[in-house]
Amino acid sequence: MTWIRTVPWEEATGVLKDAYDWQAASLGEPAEFTMLGSPYPEIVEERLRLYKTVEACPSALSPVERQLACLVTSLLNGTAHCASGLLLKLGSLGVSADVLAAIRADPAGFELPAGHDLPRPERLLAIASHAAKLTTSPTKMTDDDLAELRGHGLGDLEIVDLNNLVAYYNYINRIVMGLGLRTVMSTEHEALHALPR
Protein backbone atom coordinates (compact mmCIF):
# COMPACT_ATOMS: atom_id res chain seq x y z
CA MET A 1 0.00 0.00 0.00
CA THR A 2 1.19 3.50 -0.81
CA TRP A 3 -0.31 6.95 -0.34
CA ILE A 4 -1.03 7.43 -4.04
CA ARG A 5 -2.88 5.33 -6.58
CA THR A 6 -0.45 3.52 -8.83
CA VAL A 7 -1.27 2.07 -12.22
CA PRO A 8 -1.40 -1.74 -12.15
CA TRP A 9 0.63 -3.61 -14.74
CA GLU A 10 -2.50 -4.90 -16.46
CA GLU A 11 -3.79 -1.34 -16.94
CA ALA A 12 -0.52 0.12 -18.22
CA THR A 13 -0.22 1.28 -21.81
CA GLY A 14 2.37 2.98 -24.00
CA VAL A 15 5.58 4.19 -22.33
CA LEU A 16 4.44 2.91 -18.93
CA LYS A 17 3.72 -0.59 -20.21
CA ASP A 18 7.07 -0.67 -22.00
CA ALA A 19 8.88 0.34 -18.79
CA TYR A 20 6.95 -2.16 -16.69
CA ASP A 21 7.65 -4.92 -19.23
CA TRP A 22 11.35 -4.01 -19.27
CA GLN A 23 11.69 -4.58 -15.55
CA ALA A 24 9.33 -7.55 -15.53
CA ALA A 25 11.59 -9.39 -17.99
CA SER A 26 14.00 -9.82 -15.07
CA LEU A 27 11.83 -9.53 -11.97
CA GLY A 28 8.63 -11.15 -13.22
CA GLU A 29 6.58 -8.00 -12.57
CA PRO A 30 7.20 -4.29 -12.07
CA ALA A 31 8.62 -3.46 -8.64
CA GLU A 32 6.57 -1.52 -6.11
CA PHE A 33 9.10 1.31 -6.30
CA THR A 34 8.79 1.45 -10.08
CA MET A 35 5.01 1.71 -9.82
CA LEU A 36 5.34 4.79 -7.58
CA GLY A 37 6.08 6.84 -10.68
CA SER A 38 3.22 5.48 -12.74
CA PRO A 39 1.13 8.69 -12.82
CA TYR A 40 4.07 10.10 -14.86
CA PRO A 41 5.16 7.29 -17.22
CA GLU A 42 8.24 9.10 -18.54
CA ILE A 43 9.73 9.29 -15.04
CA VAL A 44 9.28 5.53 -14.65
CA GLU A 45 11.29 4.92 -17.79
CA GLU A 46 14.00 7.43 -16.84
CA ARG A 47 14.31 6.08 -13.29
CA LEU A 48 14.86 2.58 -14.67
CA ARG A 49 17.53 3.94 -17.02
CA LEU A 50 19.20 5.79 -14.15
CA TYR A 51 19.10 2.66 -11.97
CA LYS A 52 20.72 0.61 -14.73
CA THR A 53 23.38 3.29 -15.36
CA VAL A 54 24.25 3.77 -11.68
CA GLU A 55 24.57 0.02 -11.17
CA ALA A 56 26.74 -0.40 -14.29
CA CYS A 57 29.62 1.88 -13.25
CA PRO A 58 32.85 0.03 -14.13
CA SER A 59 34.73 1.09 -11.01
CA ALA A 60 36.90 -1.12 -8.81
CA LEU A 61 34.55 -0.87 -5.84
CA SER A 62 33.61 -4.40 -4.83
CA PRO A 63 29.97 -5.50 -4.80
CA VAL A 64 30.08 -5.57 -0.98
CA GLU A 65 31.51 -2.02 -0.83
CA ARG A 66 28.85 -0.74 -3.21
CA GLN A 67 25.91 -2.38 -1.44
CA LEU A 68 27.24 -1.40 1.99
CA ALA A 69 27.32 2.29 1.03
CA CYS A 70 23.71 2.03 -0.16
CA LEU A 71 22.65 0.20 3.01
CA VAL A 72 24.22 2.79 5.31
CA THR A 73 22.41 5.50 3.33
CA SER A 74 19.04 3.75 3.48
CA LEU A 75 19.32 2.91 7.18
CA LEU A 76 20.22 6.49 8.07
CA ASN A 77 17.20 7.67 6.07
CA GLY A 78 14.95 5.18 7.88
CA THR A 79 13.92 3.57 4.60
CA ALA A 80 13.04 0.00 5.53
CA HIS A 81 11.93 -0.89 2.00
CA CYS A 82 15.31 -0.16 0.42
CA ALA A 83 17.32 -1.33 3.43
CA SER A 84 15.57 -4.71 3.41
CA GLY A 85 16.58 -5.33 -0.20
CA LEU A 86 20.16 -4.28 0.48
CA LEU A 87 20.40 -6.58 3.49
CA LEU A 88 19.29 -9.44 1.26
CA LYS A 89 21.84 -8.47 -1.40
CA LEU A 90 24.66 -8.31 1.13
CA GLY A 91 23.60 -11.66 2.58
CA SER A 92 23.71 -13.16 -0.90
CA LEU A 93 27.28 -11.83 -1.21
CA GLY A 94 28.29 -13.78 1.88
CA VAL A 95 28.22 -10.99 4.48
CA SER A 96 27.45 -12.65 7.81
CA ALA A 97 24.42 -11.99 9.96
CA ASP A 98 26.55 -10.59 12.79
CA VAL A 99 28.14 -8.01 10.48
CA LEU A 100 24.72 -7.01 9.16
CA ALA A 101 23.41 -6.73 12.73
CA ALA A 102 26.29 -4.41 13.65
CA ILE A 103 25.55 -2.17 10.66
CA ARG A 104 21.84 -2.07 11.47
CA ALA A 105 22.54 -1.18 15.10
CA ASP A 106 24.76 1.81 14.25
CA PRO A 107 24.95 2.60 10.51
CA ALA A 108 26.90 5.82 11.07
CA GLY A 109 29.61 4.35 13.28
CA PHE A 110 29.51 0.56 13.35
CA GLU A 111 32.52 -1.59 14.13
CA LEU A 112 33.06 -4.90 12.42
CA PRO A 113 32.64 -7.80 14.86
CA ALA A 114 35.61 -9.97 15.76
CA GLY A 115 36.07 -12.92 13.48
CA HIS A 116 34.57 -11.30 10.39
CA ASP A 117 36.11 -12.36 7.09
CA LEU A 118 35.55 -9.20 5.05
CA PRO A 119 38.54 -8.12 2.96
CA ARG A 120 40.06 -4.65 3.43
CA PRO A 121 38.04 -3.77 6.54
CA GLU A 122 39.61 -0.30 6.96
CA ARG A 123 38.62 0.59 3.40
CA LEU A 124 35.12 -0.76 3.97
CA LEU A 125 34.71 1.35 7.11
CA ALA A 126 35.99 4.44 5.28
CA ILE A 127 33.43 3.90 2.52
CA ALA A 128 30.64 3.46 5.09
CA SER A 129 31.75 6.58 6.96
CA HIS A 130 31.80 8.58 3.74
CA ALA A 131 28.29 7.40 2.85
CA ALA A 132 27.06 8.37 6.31
CA LYS A 133 28.56 11.86 6.19
CA LEU A 134 27.30 12.56 2.66
CA THR A 135 23.82 11.43 3.71
CA THR A 136 23.55 13.24 7.04
CA SER A 137 25.88 16.25 6.66
CA PRO A 138 26.35 17.05 2.96
CA THR A 139 27.23 20.68 3.66
CA LYS A 140 30.21 19.54 5.74
CA MET A 141 31.86 17.60 2.90
CA THR A 142 35.36 18.81 1.97
CA ASP A 143 38.17 17.65 -0.27
CA ASP A 144 39.70 16.04 2.83
CA ASP A 145 36.88 13.49 2.65
CA LEU A 146 38.05 12.49 -0.82
CA ALA A 147 41.66 12.39 0.37
CA GLU A 148 40.57 9.90 3.02
CA LEU A 149 39.08 7.67 0.30
CA ARG A 150 42.17 8.02 -1.86
CA GLY A 151 44.24 6.90 1.12
CA HIS A 152 42.32 3.63 0.96
CA GLY A 153 43.02 3.12 -2.73
CA LEU A 154 39.96 4.71 -4.33
CA GLY A 155 40.65 6.54 -7.58
CA ASP A 156 38.46 9.17 -9.19
CA LEU A 157 36.17 6.62 -10.85
CA GLU A 158 35.61 4.80 -7.56
CA ILE A 159 34.90 8.12 -5.83
CA VAL A 160 32.41 9.10 -8.55
CA ASP A 161 30.80 5.66 -8.26
CA LEU A 162 30.50 5.96 -4.48
CA ASN A 163 29.12 9.48 -4.75
CA ASN A 164 26.56 8.39 -7.34
CA LEU A 165 25.44 5.40 -5.28
CA VAL A 166 24.91 7.47 -2.13
CA ALA A 167 23.21 10.29 -4.04
CA TYR A 168 20.99 7.82 -5.91
CA TYR A 169 19.87 6.08 -2.73
CA ASN A 170 19.20 9.40 -1.04
CA TYR A 171 17.00 10.23 -4.03
CA ILE A 172 15.07 6.97 -4.08
CA ASN A 173 14.81 6.87 -0.28
CA ARG A 174 12.96 10.19 -0.41
CA ILE A 175 10.62 8.91 -3.11
CA VAL A 176 9.83 5.85 -0.99
CA MET A 177 9.34 7.80 2.23
CA GLY A 178 7.45 10.67 0.60
CA LEU A 179 4.91 8.42 -1.11
CA GLY A 180 4.36 5.90 1.66
CA LEU A 181 6.08 2.72 0.43
CA ARG A 182 6.64 0.84 3.68
CA THR A 183 6.77 -2.80 2.63
CA VAL A 184 9.83 -4.89 3.46
CA MET A 185 11.38 -7.20 0.88
CA SER A 186 11.44 -10.77 2.07
CA THR A 187 13.02 -12.72 -0.79
CA GLU A 188 16.35 -12.55 -2.56
CA HIS A 189 14.46 -12.67 -5.84
CA GLU A 190 12.87 -9.26 -5.13
CA ALA A 191 16.23 -7.80 -4.15
CA LEU A 192 18.41 -9.31 -6.86
CA HIS A 193 16.23 -9.12 -9.96
CA ALA A 194 14.77 -5.61 -9.98
CA LEU A 195 17.50 -4.30 -12.29
CA PRO A 196 16.11 -4.24 -15.84
CA ARG A 197 18.04 -6.23 -18.41
Side-chain angles (χ1 to χ4, degrees):
M1 297 295 293
T2 60
W3 300 335
I4 62 168
R5 183 190 182 276
T6 58
V7 178
W9 190 14
E10 62 273 11
E11 293 178 19
T13 59
V15 170
L16 183 61
K17 183 178 187 314
D18 291 345
Y20 278 4
D21 289 349
W22 185 26
Q23 186 172 48
S26 177
L27 184 61
E29 61 186 352
E32 289 179 290
F33 174 82
T34 298
M35 295 176 72
L36 285 176
S38 60
Y40 182 16
E42 288 76 9
I43 201 76
V44 173
E45 182 179 50
E46 292 305 323
R47 284 178 183 161
L48 287 173
R49 279 200 189 108
L50 179 60
Y51 179 27
K52 191 167 178 64
T53 302
V54 168
E55 289 291 332
C57 182
S59 87
L61 291 182
S62 74
V64 169
E65 290 168 342
R66 297 179 97 248
Q67 299 307 316
L68 175 75
C70 300
L71 176 61
V72 166
T73 302
S74 295
L75 288 171
L76 289 172
N77 285 326
T79 312
H81 179 78
C82 297
S84 65
L86 292 159
L87 287 163
L88 289 164
K89 286 180 180 181
L90 283 162
S92 77
L93 292 169
V95 177
S96 67
D98 60 334
V99 170
L100 295 177
I103 299 167
R104 290 179 76 176
D106 185 8
F110 67 91
E111 294 182 11
L112 293 171
H116 74 83
D117 61 354
L118 294 171
R120 301 186 290 187
E122 295 82 11
R123 173 173 154 136
L124 195 64
L125 291 171
I127 287 169
S129 177
H130 188 85
K133 183 174 180 182
L134 184 55
T135 297
T136 61
S137 304
T139 62
K140 294 182 181 175
M141 300 299 295
T142 70
D143 59 350
D144 288 341
D145 295 299
L146 302 189
E148 169 76 14
L149 295 173
R150 287 190 178 98
H152 289 282
L154 278 71
D156 285 346
L157 181 58
E158 289 71 41
I159 290 170
V160 166
D161 188 15
L162 177 59
N163 190 77
N164 282 338
L165 288 164
V166 175
Y168 175 74
Y169 269 84
N170 272 293
Y171 168 61
I172 68 169
N173 289 168
R174 280 150 181 77
I175 293 167
V176 166
M177 299 307 287
L179 298 177
L181 180 54
R182 300 294 188 266
T183 59
V184 171
M185 294 185 211
S186 58
T187 68
E188 283 189 2
H189 178 78
E190 292 172 271
L192 299 177
H193 297 283
L195 187 68
R197 295 179 182 168

